[in-house]
Amino acid sequence: AIGFLVSACLRPILEVYFGNVRSHLADGAWDAGVCPFCGAPPGFSDVLEDGRRRLVCHLCGSGWIASRTRCPYCGEDSAQGLVRLEPGEREEGYSIAACRSCRGYVKELDRRVRWNGRSALVEDWGSPHFDLAAKRAGYWRGIPSLIDVTAGR
Protein backbone atom coordinates (compact mmCIF):
# COMPACT_ATOMS: atom_id res chain seq x y z
CA ALA A 1 0.00 0.00 0.00
CA ILE A 2 2.85 2.38 0.79
CA GLY A 3 4.49 1.80 -2.61
CA PHE A 4 1.25 2.64 -4.37
CA LEU A 5 0.76 5.84 -2.36
CA VAL A 6 4.37 6.96 -2.86
CA SER A 7 4.05 6.42 -6.61
CA ALA A 8 0.80 8.38 -6.74
CA CYS A 9 2.31 11.28 -4.76
CA LEU A 10 5.52 11.46 -6.82
CA ARG A 11 3.85 11.48 -10.22
CA PRO A 12 2.86 15.18 -10.38
CA ILE A 13 6.35 16.25 -9.35
CA LEU A 14 8.14 13.92 -11.78
CA GLU A 15 5.79 14.79 -14.67
CA VAL A 16 6.87 18.40 -14.41
CA TYR A 17 10.52 17.53 -13.76
CA PHE A 18 10.85 15.37 -16.89
CA GLY A 19 8.40 17.40 -19.02
CA ASN A 20 10.98 19.31 -21.06
CA VAL A 21 13.23 16.33 -21.87
CA ARG A 22 10.60 13.85 -23.10
CA SER A 23 10.52 15.31 -26.60
CA HIS A 24 14.25 14.58 -27.01
CA LEU A 25 13.76 10.81 -26.89
CA ALA A 26 13.26 9.58 -30.45
CA ASP A 27 10.88 6.66 -31.02
CA GLY A 28 12.82 3.41 -30.92
CA ALA A 29 15.90 4.97 -29.32
CA TRP A 30 15.23 3.19 -26.00
CA ASP A 31 14.61 -0.54 -25.95
CA ALA A 32 14.92 -1.37 -22.26
CA GLY A 33 11.88 -2.45 -20.28
CA VAL A 34 12.20 0.37 -17.75
CA CYS A 35 11.34 4.04 -18.10
CA PRO A 36 14.12 5.96 -19.88
CA PHE A 37 13.61 8.90 -17.55
CA CYS A 38 13.03 7.63 -14.01
CA GLY A 39 13.95 3.93 -14.31
CA ALA A 40 10.60 2.59 -13.08
CA PRO A 41 9.01 -0.51 -14.63
CA PRO A 42 6.09 0.00 -17.01
CA GLY A 43 2.65 0.46 -15.51
CA PHE A 44 0.60 -0.09 -18.64
CA SER A 45 0.93 -0.83 -22.35
CA ASP A 46 -0.88 0.80 -25.25
CA VAL A 47 -1.05 -0.60 -28.76
CA LEU A 48 -1.16 2.54 -30.88
CA GLU A 49 -3.14 3.11 -34.06
CA ASP A 50 -0.12 2.13 -36.17
CA GLY A 51 0.31 -1.18 -34.27
CA ARG A 52 3.36 -0.17 -32.25
CA ARG A 53 3.48 -0.80 -28.50
CA ARG A 54 3.98 2.09 -26.11
CA LEU A 55 4.90 1.26 -22.53
CA VAL A 56 3.77 3.85 -20.02
CA CYS A 57 5.39 4.79 -16.72
CA HIS A 58 2.95 5.47 -13.90
CA LEU A 59 5.69 7.00 -11.75
CA CYS A 60 6.64 9.93 -14.02
CA GLY A 61 4.01 9.78 -16.79
CA SER A 62 6.46 9.08 -19.61
CA GLY A 63 5.93 6.66 -22.47
CA TRP A 64 8.29 4.89 -24.86
CA ILE A 65 7.99 2.60 -27.86
CA ALA A 66 8.87 -1.04 -27.17
CA SER A 67 8.63 -4.36 -28.95
CA ARG A 68 5.28 -6.14 -28.67
CA THR A 69 7.05 -9.48 -28.81
CA ARG A 70 9.44 -8.93 -25.90
CA CYS A 71 8.87 -9.11 -22.15
CA PRO A 72 9.68 -5.70 -20.61
CA TYR A 73 10.89 -7.37 -17.40
CA CYS A 74 13.27 -10.12 -18.51
CA GLY A 75 13.65 -9.59 -22.27
CA GLU A 76 12.10 -12.96 -23.26
CA ASP A 77 11.27 -12.79 -26.96
CA SER A 78 10.32 -16.32 -27.96
CA ALA A 79 6.73 -17.00 -28.97
CA GLN A 80 6.60 -19.90 -26.50
CA GLY A 81 7.70 -17.65 -23.63
CA LEU A 82 5.01 -15.00 -24.08
CA VAL A 83 1.27 -15.32 -23.55
CA ARG A 84 -1.64 -12.96 -24.04
CA LEU A 85 -4.55 -13.45 -21.66
CA GLU A 86 -7.82 -12.15 -23.09
CA PRO A 87 -10.41 -11.08 -20.51
CA GLY A 88 -13.49 -11.87 -22.62
CA GLU A 89 -15.78 -10.58 -25.32
CA ARG A 90 -17.18 -7.70 -23.26
CA GLU A 91 -13.66 -6.37 -22.73
CA GLU A 92 -12.69 -6.13 -26.40
CA GLY A 93 -9.34 -4.41 -26.91
CA TYR A 94 -8.01 -5.26 -23.46
CA SER A 95 -5.50 -7.99 -22.71
CA ILE A 96 -2.81 -9.01 -20.26
CA ALA A 97 0.64 -9.42 -21.84
CA ALA A 98 2.44 -11.96 -19.69
CA CYS A 99 5.74 -13.82 -19.71
CA ARG A 100 6.02 -17.53 -18.96
CA SER A 101 9.73 -17.18 -18.16
CA CYS A 102 9.71 -14.53 -15.40
CA ARG A 103 5.93 -14.61 -14.76
CA GLY A 104 5.67 -10.81 -15.09
CA TYR A 105 2.70 -9.11 -16.74
CA VAL A 106 1.51 -5.75 -17.97
CA LYS A 107 -2.05 -4.79 -18.87
CA GLU A 108 -2.53 -3.69 -22.45
CA LEU A 109 -5.11 -1.68 -24.37
CA ASP A 110 -5.32 -1.92 -28.15
CA ARG A 111 -6.35 1.59 -29.16
CA ARG A 112 -7.12 0.41 -32.70
CA VAL A 113 -10.08 -1.48 -31.21
CA ARG A 114 -10.86 0.66 -28.15
CA TRP A 115 -10.30 4.08 -29.70
CA ASN A 116 -12.20 5.87 -26.91
CA GLY A 117 -9.97 4.54 -24.13
CA ARG A 118 -8.85 6.94 -21.42
CA SER A 119 -5.30 7.68 -20.30
CA ALA A 120 -3.13 4.71 -19.35
CA LEU A 121 -3.35 5.54 -15.66
CA VAL A 122 -7.16 5.74 -15.71
CA GLU A 123 -7.44 2.53 -17.75
CA ASP A 124 -5.08 0.76 -15.35
CA TRP A 125 -6.88 1.87 -12.19
CA GLY A 126 -10.23 1.06 -13.80
CA SER A 127 -9.34 -2.57 -14.45
CA PRO A 128 -8.31 -4.18 -11.14
CA HIS A 129 -10.16 -7.34 -12.19
CA PHE A 130 -7.37 -7.93 -14.75
CA ASP A 131 -4.77 -7.72 -11.98
CA LEU A 132 -6.77 -10.20 -9.95
CA ALA A 133 -6.99 -12.61 -12.91
CA ALA A 134 -3.26 -12.33 -13.60
CA LYS A 135 -2.33 -12.84 -9.94
CA ARG A 136 -4.63 -15.86 -9.68
CA ALA A 137 -2.84 -17.31 -12.73
CA GLY A 138 0.50 -16.89 -10.92
CA TYR A 139 1.81 -13.71 -12.56
CA TRP A 140 3.32 -10.65 -10.87
CA ARG A 141 3.48 -6.99 -11.77
CA GLY A 142 6.42 -4.59 -11.60
CA ILE A 143 4.49 -1.84 -9.81
CA PRO A 144 1.84 -1.97 -7.06
CA SER A 145 -1.76 -2.32 -8.23
CA LEU A 146 -5.04 -1.40 -6.59
CA ILE A 147 -5.38 -5.09 -5.66
CA ASP A 148 -2.17 -4.80 -3.63
CA VAL A 149 -3.52 -1.73 -1.82
CA THR A 150 -6.79 -3.41 -0.87
CA ALA A 151 -4.93 -6.54 0.23
CA GLY A 152 -2.69 -4.44 2.48
CA ARG A 153 0.56 -5.40 0.71
Side-chain angles (χ1 to χ4, degrees):
I2 292 174
F4 181 84
L5 293 174
V6 168
S7 296
C9 291
L10 281 174
R11 180 164 175 152
I13 297 163
L14 293 176
E15 272 187 311
V16 171
Y17 184 77
F18 292 118
N20 292 331
V21 297
R22 284 193 188 108
S23 63
H24 298 287
L25 181 69
D27 285 349
W30 184 259
D31 68 349
V34 296
C35 177
F37 301 102
C38 72
F44 200 79
S45 174
D46 285 320
V47 177
L48 304 174
E49 289 80 13
D50 61 7
R52 295 179 303 157
R53 178 193 214 184
R54 180 182 64 195
L55 296 175
V56 181
C57 177
H58 284 345
L59 186 59
C60 74
S62 298
W64 65 102
I65 301 299
S67 172
R68 289 185 66 194
T69 58
R70 183 174 176 211
C71 172
Y73 301 113
C74 72
E76 174 69 61
D77 60 359
S78 73
Q80 299 82 14
L82 303 173
V83 64
R84 198 164 297 285
L85 308 172
E86 304 291 335
E89 201 172 301
R90 292 184 346 186
E91 306 283 357
E92 189 177 16
Y94 294 93
S95 64
I96 299 167
C99 177
R100 290 186 176 118
S101 296
C102 72
R103 307 295 294 173
Y105 79 93
V106 64
K107 293 187 280 187
E108 190 167 85
L109 174 59
D110 189 335
R111 296 197 182 263
R112 298 171 298 180
V113 176
R114 187 69 68 142
W115 56 269
N116 60 345
R118 305 286 184 211
S119 73
L121 187 63
V122 171
E123 290 292 344
D124 182 35
W125 287 3
S127 57
H129 54 296
F130 294 160
D131 293 305
L132 189 57
K135 288 184 184 297
R136 285 183 177 159
Y139 293 98
W140 62 272
R141 182 175 160 157
I143 63 166
S145 69
L146 288 176
I147 296 297
D148 296 325
V149 172
T150 59
R153 294 182 195 145

